[in-house]
């Protein structure tokens, strides 16, 4: 389960405004324009063009941050001649498009909508290839019909496409909301606000993350649905200009990051991580509180089940996001993945999609 510091105070309106501004600067004619296909030389990449990389993430999350802090502390970036700094940004896509950050981690749906609007960013790799969908209900709610006439949460803010995905998963797991008279409310972007509504009996159903569970359990909640889907969650993006100017940097960055993903997921996603103590030591040395994770016997202790060792992404992942989030169709330009494919090749990996894992 994801253990995150929730998205406190994300400036959604400001972020949308920033994207709109950037899209306007890009010009309507740029939205569908693809760059010329890139051909990378055989063998080892050349020297990195940019050796100091800034990576933007939307909030300080131990899971989202993990592969970068591990690649730094284990020396993988140093081996590639790189140093990497991780920052937070209210709008990651805007940050990389404007050059405030070099690489960013952003939700797949947000990237699709940015590309549709003509924002000049390239999707360079996957980040997490699976999503967990966990839901809590009040203790007297044992079937979907018991929700009749109550208020529920599916997303923190109106228009969040995750609402469609969550409704779909609920239906697939026997909790189809169609035909049930419920009021969908939006308490705010952070799951801590959803849980506050829940423990004060203002809602009867909510999605939750691992850090919400103790409060929900203390309240006596049921957990009728805990499911995992092989749907791309977040992806890595870079400004189109940065990509064109730094091909060797991207290959080297991705190769080092792939090594870190392998370290955190070893021996394989869905199995107990063999490097758990070393990983938690590194997290703790970087000021993350891991006390609740020490001594855990859960195979999900490091959230490695959300990751693919090859940082997988392809057209199918793109199209699945569009379908499950009910977005308008948009063609995916696979030439953006040339740097990922090269990094995979150097490590003897392919770009196969995620295997199905039992969960929880």
């Amino acid at each position: 389960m994801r253990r995150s510091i929730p998205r406190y105070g994300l400036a959604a309106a400001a972020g949308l405004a920033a994207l709109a501004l950037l899209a306007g600067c890009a010009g309507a004619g740029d939205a569908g324009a693809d760059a010329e296909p890139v051909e990378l030389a055989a063998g080892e990449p050349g020297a990195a063009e940019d050796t100091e990389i800034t990576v933007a993430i939307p909030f300080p999350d131990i899971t989202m941050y993990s592969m970068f802090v591990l690649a730094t502390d284990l020396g993988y970036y140093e081996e590639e001649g790189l140093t990497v700094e991780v920052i937070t940004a209210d709008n990651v896509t805007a940050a990389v498009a404007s050059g405030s950050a070099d690489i960013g981690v952003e939700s797949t749906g947000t990237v699709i909508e940015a590309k549709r609007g003509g924002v000049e960013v390239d999707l360079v790799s996957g980040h997490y290839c699976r999503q967990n969908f966990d839901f809590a209900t009040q203790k007297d709610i044992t079937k979907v019909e018991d929700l009749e006439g109550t208020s529920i949460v599916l997303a923190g803010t109106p228009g969040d496409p995750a609402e469609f995905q969550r409704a779909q998963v609920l239906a697939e797991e026997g909790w189809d909301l169609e035909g049930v008279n419920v009021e969908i409310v939006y308490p705010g972007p952070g799951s801590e606000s959803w849980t506050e509504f829940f423990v004060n009996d203002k809602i009867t159903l909510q999605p939750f993350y691992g850090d919400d569970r103790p409060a929900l359990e203390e309240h006596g909640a049921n957990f009728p649905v805990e499911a995992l889907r092989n749907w791309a969650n977040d992806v890595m993006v870079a400004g189109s200009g940065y990509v064109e100017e730094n091909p060797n940097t991207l290959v080297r960055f991705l190769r080092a990051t792939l090594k870190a993903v392998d370290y955190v997921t070893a021996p394989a996603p869905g199995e107990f991580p063999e490097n758990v103590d070393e990983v938690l030591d590194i997290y703790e040395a970087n000021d993350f509180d891991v006390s609740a994770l020490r001594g855990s016997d859960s195979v999900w202790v490091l959230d490695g089940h959300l990751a693919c060792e090859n940082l997988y992404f392809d057209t199918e992942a793109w199209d699945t996001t569009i379908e499950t989030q009910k977005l308008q169709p948009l063609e995916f330009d696979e030439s953006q993945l040339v740097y990922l494919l090269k990094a995979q090749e150097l490590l003897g990996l392919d770009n196969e999609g995620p295997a199905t894992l039992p969960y929880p």
Side-chain angles (χ1 to χ4, degrees):
M1 294 176 189
R2 179 178 174 189
R3 295 171 181 84
S4 66
I5 301 172
R7 300 182 185 219
Y8 294 113
L10 283 183
L16 289 173
L19 281 180
L21 177 61
L22 286 166
C25 294
D30 296 336
D34 294 333
E36 290 295 318
V38 175
E39 292 187 10
L40 298 176
E44 279 290 305
E49 297 86 2
D50 179 16
T51 60
E52 297 182 2
I53 299 173
T54 300
V55 176
I57 60 176
F59 54 98
D61 177 273
I62 193 171
T63 302
M64 189 173 290
Y65 185 89
S66 63
M67 59 185 68
F68 308 123
V69 71
L70 288 171
T72 295
D73 281 43
L74 294 169
Y76 298 149
Y77 290 136
E78 184 178 8
E79 291 171 3
E80 301 288 354
L82 306 174
T83 59
V84 173
E85 178 188 12
V86 179
I87 64 170
T88 58
D90 283 344
N91 191 297
V92 170
T93 306
V96 297
S98 67
S100 299
D102 303 315
I103 295 169
V105 179
E106 184 60 279
S107 69
T108 315
T110 297
V111 174
I112 290 171
E113 292 306 285
K115 295 280 285 184
R116 187 195 313 283
V119 179
E120 295 187 352
V121 295
D122 287 359
L123 189 159
V124 296
S125 82
H127 184 78
Y128 283 112
C129 62
R130 301 181 181 90
Q131 297 186 51
N132 55 309
F133 292 88
D134 301 334
F135 297 88
T137 63
Q138 297 288 352
K139 56 189 173 185
D140 58 339
I141 305 293
T142 59
K143 57 186 183 300
V144 68
E145 291 80 9
D146 295 336
L147 297 172
E148 181 75 25
T150 69
S151 298
I152 67 171
V153 170
L154 291 179
T157 53
D160 183 346
E163 180 175 328
F164 299 113
Q165 289 185 319
R166 290 168 180 152
Q168 178 175 329
V169 171
L170 282 169
E172 291 171 352
E173 298 292 329
W175 284 71
D176 191 347
L177 297 172
E178 289 292 328
V180 180
N181 180 29
V182 295
E183 178 189 16
I184 300 176
V185 297
Y186 304 93
S191 64
E192 78 289 346
S193 62
W194 314 345
T195 301
E196 186 70 18
F197 268 53
F198 189 95
V199 300
N200 285 288
D201 297 318
K202 295 180 179 179
I203 57 173
T204 55
L205 176 146
Q206 72 162 85
F208 72 91
Y209 299 120
D211 46 1
D212 305 310
R213 188 164 191 138
L216 295 169
E217 288 180 336
E218 184 177 354
H219 187 68
N222 296 321
F223 304 104
V225 175
E226 296 180 84
L228 194 66
R229 293 290 186 273
N230 289 342
W231 297 345
N233 192 344
D234 302 307
V235 292
M236 294 192 213
V237 294
S240 300
Y242 185 87
V243 169
E244 292 174 9
E245 296 171 4
N246 297 279
N248 294 304
T249 295
L250 282 173
V251 172
R252 289 183 175 278
F253 170 81
L254 289 171
R255 178 165 62 176
T257 306
L258 283 163
K259 291 179 181 178
V261 176
D262 178 69
Y263 191 88
V264 78
T265 58
E271 300 183 30
F272 189 80
E274 62 188 19
N275 297 320
V276 61
D277 291 332
E278 292 83 356
V279 169
L280 292 179
D281 287 345
I282 291 172
Y283 289 171
E284 193 167 52
N286 285 271
D287 299 324
F288 285 105
D289 181 5
V290 298
S291 56
L293 305 180
R294 294 287 188 185
S296 172
D297 60 359
S298 170
V299 297
W300 317 120
V301 60
L302 298 179
D303 284 331
H305 60 296
L306 300 179
C308 284
E309 304 100 309
N310 58 0
L311 292 178
Y312 157 81
F313 198 84
D314 64 6
T315 297
E316 182 177 356
W318 178 273
D319 290 343
T320 296
T321 300
I322 289 173
E323 177 186 352
T324 58
Q325 295 191 358
K326 300 188 185 302
L327 305 175
Q328 290 299 311
L330 183 69
E331 187 176 356
F332 179 61
D333 176 12
E334 287 206 345
S335 70
Q336 298 168 99
L337 299 179
V338 63
Y339 311 100
L340 174 64
L341 297 176
K342 178 65 176 180
Q344 291 170 339
E345 175 192 328
L346 291 168
L347 293 172
L349 302 171
D350 56 31
N351 196 39
E352 286 291 319
T356 300
L357 298 179
Y359 178 82

